[in-house]
Amino acid sequence: MLRTLAILNQKGGVGKTTVTLGLASAAAAAGRRVLVVDLDPQASASWVLGVESDATTGTVADVLGGTSRRLDGIIRASAWTDSIDVLPSAPGLQQLDSGSSKRLRKALATVEKRYEAVLIDCPPSLGSLARSALTAARHALVVVEPSALGLRGIGGVADLIDDVWDSANPDLELSGIVLNRVPAVSREAERRIDELARIVSRQAIWRPEIPQRVIFNEAVGDRRPIHSYGSRATEPIIVFDALWRRVRGVIRAGQRPD
Ligand SMILES: Nc1ncnc2c1ncn2[C@@H]1O[C@H](COP(=O)(O)OP(=O)(O)O)[C@@H](O)[C@H]1O
Ligand SMILES: [Mg+2]
């Protein structure tokens, strides 16, 4: 759907959750409402946003498993701000064999209009959860570390996007590659970014890249948005404000009738 982004990569630890939370933080700072959908069974995004998985109110597992189609009771307000809502994850999510990859899409369609963007934080795999996310999304955003190991597996992500585009979601687009943990000066990183530009178009590689900064770790531990750190996070805040503007740009472009 038009305002929905899936943030993905099959590798763990590349920064999917960091990007999801950084974008949510930037959106809230700009006064925009967003919904964070936590599709990772580890529930990191839910935890950082102050929303514990709760069987009584329901989780995204109820949506994927077909026990609940209504999101109204399941979506919770984040502890950060009124502008960020959360569709929380559940620990058993990976065991759930989602019978239909369209359930999440159908459920999100009922609430999408309330938000400027819906950000789906994907698990580190390319299984049925990632498929559900891509089926629901208009835009795929791939988080990549510009290293030799970081680039391995990009082909698998691109293949899954193609496959979902072909079989379930003709509106899906690989809208951006976000570079994370980029060292200030590195010939190696530059070479890898050039290599990436041969696989996807150079315009698909979003700038600015996200630098390696300990404040990202700290923010997770404190369960706080990076925008709350002020001058201690000046560069990360500038970077995520710019990435959020890119997100708004692709959403607006995607909504324009051809
Ligand atoms: N640019 C960065 N600088 C420093 N630490 C980072 C950066 N990006 C991510 N991290 C840290 O790396 C760990 C893994 O990141 P995370 O976003 O959880 O990855 P993923 O969701 O892809 O598994 C977290 O502890 C996070 O704080
Ligand atoms: Mg994660």
Side-chain angles (χ1 to χ4, degrees):
M1 285 150 316
L2 296 174
R3 300 177 200 179
T4 302
L5 285 91
I7 294 143
L8 81 160
N9 190 316
Q10 78 270 49
K11 283 169 68 90
V14 297
K16 293 177 289 297
T17 301
T18 301
V19 168
T20 304
L21 296 175
L23 289 173
S25 176
R32 306 291 177 175
R33 280 178 64 73
V34 292
L35 173 65
V36 171
V37 178
D38 189 355
L39 269 194
D40 189 341
Q42 290 181 32
S44 318
S46 305
W47 182 80
V48 179
L49 287 163
V51 175
E52 310 292 345
S53 130
D54 180 341
T56 56
T57 53
T59 68
V60 72
D62 297 302
V63 178
L64 293 171
T67 45
S68 178
R69 270 163 229 270
R70 293 187 51 78
L71 287 183
D72 279 329
I74 302 180
I75 287 178
R76 312 250 299 274
S78 76
W80 284 6
T81 154
D82 289 346
S83 306
I84 303 173
D85 283 347
V86 186
L87 179 52
S89 171
L93 204 54
Q94 72 270 43
Q95 274 103 40
L96 198 90
D97 186 18
S98 170
S100 159
S101 66
K102 289 216 162 138
R103 280 183 186 144
L104 181 65
R105 179 187 177 94
K106 285 181 185 156
L108 289 178
T110 64
V111 298
E112 194 195 36
K113 286 210 166 63
R114 296 180 202 163
Y115 302 98
E116 197 79 25
V118 175
L119 307 170
I120 308 179
D121 186 18
C122 289
S125 61
L126 296 177
S128 64
L129 293 170
R131 194 172 279 276
S132 283
L134 290 172
T135 303
R138 169 74 169 79
H139 304 282
L141 211 56
V142 182
V143 182
V144 170
E145 273 184 59
S147 65
L149 289 179
L151 257 59
R152 290 188 62 191
I154 283 291
V157 179
D159 286 349
L160 180 66
I161 291 171
D162 268 358
D163 189 49
V164 173
W165 173 79
D166 209 29
S167 62
N169 183 4
D171 296 326
L172 179 65
E173 212 178 320
L174 172 51
S175 297
I177 306 272
V178 176
L179 300 168
N180 188 28
R181 292 179 194 276
V182 181
V185 184
S186 164
R187 295 273 301 277
E188 168 62 11
E190 282 309 318
R191 273 181 44 208
R192 296 304 165 188
I193 293 169
D194 289 342
E195 188 183 330
L196 195 57
R198 287 197 292 273
I199 307 170
V200 298
S201 73
R202 206 169 268 279
Q203 296 98 287
I205 302 175
W206 284 14
R207 297 300 173 103
E209 59 266 338
I210 304 164
Q212 168 85 30
R213 289 287 182 277
V214 287
I215 195 81
F216 287 114
N217 273 305
E218 233 179 277
V220 166
D222 298 342
R223 301 164 86 181
R224 278 171 52 184
I226 50 151
H227 283 68
S228 71
Y229 289 87
S231 61
R232 291 194 51 219
T234 305
E235 197 192 359
I237 290 170
I238 290 171
V239 167
F240 271 103
D241 285 345
L243 293 175
W244 168 247
R245 283 195 295 275
R246 273 307 297 247
V247 166
R248 301 241 304 150
V250 296
I251 289 174
R252 256 185 260 122
Q255 284 174 334
R256 262 201 303 270
D258 289 321

